Amino acid sequence: MRDIFIAANWKMNGDLKFAREYATIFWPIKKKDLKVAIAAPYTLLALLKETLDGCPCLLFAQNMHFEDKGAFTGEVSAPMLKELGVDGVIIGHSERRQYFAETDETVLLKTKKALASGLMPIVCVGETLEERDAGKHFEKVRTQVASLFGGISAEDAEKVTVAYEPIWAIGTGRNATPAQAEEMCAYIRSVVREISGDKAADALIIQYGGSVKTSNCAELMAMEDIDGALVGGAGLDPKGICEIIKSSYEAKRG
Ligand code: PEP
């Protein structure tokens, strides 16, 4: 049985005051088969490491460079995140792909670096509305998934979390239906099975992301191939995300 994994992506939101207050309210349920993460801006990671001490929660960055150091102005590396005690990193979020020209190649390089550095990668994949309307969503997601899993060992594949995030559902209030989300998550698992084998495919944690909220998380999490959620907007409310975590866990484990 795979762990349930819920991550809150703060994106470019929050200041020191917000992070301090969030950390006093946020306290997810503690279960052996549940992982919870906050992916915060770089500037808040050190503070959160301190204030969330003892809280059953992993700390994630939202991006990193694939080199350890060098002339890459404005970038942050895996050793820098490790030094802060960060546990993992989101890689290839659609906003990074869209606004910062990230490609399947850089996503692979970053994932390899994260794995080699002991950071847990959450790698985002997903199609645009145009691609879905044109019936090209499976093709698009296959390309992203194959590029990633074709470049790492089957052993490493087991350590990756994939977040399926249809771009048309991110921040729009319009989530994929549970059937649409399950169809794609099952497809992702089948592509990983082809490339990395049964063990990796069975172990792979797949999150759904795209307008997840308290009112829709249970029906999404009840789906067989959806093991968790990557939550944007709704994750900015510490009470709300705790409700999402609780009701997702109940929907999954009954
Ligand atoms: C995200 O940022 O990954 C996301 C899914 O955002 P939202 O939940 O706001 O759609």
Side-chain angles (χ1 to χ4, degrees):
M1 196 162 46
R2 293 180 292 272
D3 284 353
I4 297 164
F5 187 8
I6 313 285
N9 173 17
W10 287 8
K11 311 195 189 199
M12 197 172 70
N13 293 295
D15 52 17
L16 293 169
K17 183 170 176 282
F18 172 85
R20 258 187 223 108
E21 284 172 8
Y22 193 104
T24 59
I25 297 165
F26 180 73
W27 197 272
I29 47 168
K30 200 173 179 173
K31 299 275 181 194
K32 270 215 294 283
D33 54 351
L34 170 71
K35 285 197 195 80
V36 170
I38 292 177
Y42 294 134
T43 52
L44 302 176
L45 291 172
L47 172 82
L48 284 169
K49 184 72 199 165
E50 232 178 88
T51 46
L52 288 171
D53 189 33
C55 176
C57 173
L58 300 162
L59 188 58
F60 269 56
Q62 299 170 14
N63 176 41
M64 62 164 218
H65 199 273
F66 51 81
E67 294 289 354
D68 282 345
K69 61 180 181 172
F72 300 101
T73 303
E75 291 293 307
V76 166
S77 70
M80 292 170 180
L81 296 177
K82 286 294 288 182
E83 191 177 34
L84 287 183
V86 169
D87 301 293
V89 59
I90 298 177
I91 294 173
H93 191 282
S94 61
E95 288 151 15
R96 302 276 334 155
R97 294 180 190 252
Q98 183 181 352
Y99 303 126
F100 303 97
E102 295 212 1
T103 61
D104 288 343
E105 288 69 37
T106 58
V107 167
L108 175 58
L109 289 169
K110 289 178 181 202
T111 305
K112 283 176 151 178
K113 177 56 72 177
L115 290 165
S117 308
L119 288 165
M120 299 164 56
I122 295 178
V123 182
C124 303
V125 300
E127 80 284 357
T128 63
L129 187 58
E130 293 70 38
E131 286 159 344
R132 179 161 280 263
D133 286 346
K136 296 202 162 134
H137 43 305
F138 290 114
E139 192 183 319
K140 167 68 175 289
V141 172
R142 169 179 270 280
T143 303
Q144 293 176 325
V145 172
S147 153
L148 174 65
F149 287 89
I152 58 175
S153 68
E155 202 186 18
D156 273 346
E158 286 181 41
K159 299 177 196 141
V160 172
T161 293
V162 171
Y164 168 55
E165 299 208 305
I167 295 166
W168 46 271
I170 298 179
T172 57
R174 175 188 166 187
N175 62 287
T177 64
Q180 283 173 323
E182 169 61 16
E183 186 183 35
M184 187 59 88
C185 291
Y187 180 68
I188 291 169
R189 199 177 302 287
S190 75
V191 175
V192 173
R193 195 174 300 283
E194 270 173 44
I195 298 170
S196 308
D198 286 339
K199 191 158 176 268
D202 290 337
L204 183 73
I205 294 179
I206 305 179
Q207 297 173 323
Y208 166 77
S211 298
V212 172
K213 40 191 178 271
T214 34
S215 58
N216 62 18
C217 62
E219 55 181 15
L220 286 158
M221 290 314 123
M223 297 289 118
E224 187 170 337
D225 287 285
I226 302 178
D227 306 304
L230 182 54
V231 185
L236 290 170
D237 168 14
K239 280 200 186 120
I241 187 74
C242 287
E243 271 175 49
I244 289 175
I245 292 162
K246 194 166 170 287
S247 100
S248 297
Y249 189 86
E250 278 163 12
K252 206 82 213 143
R253 297 292 185 249

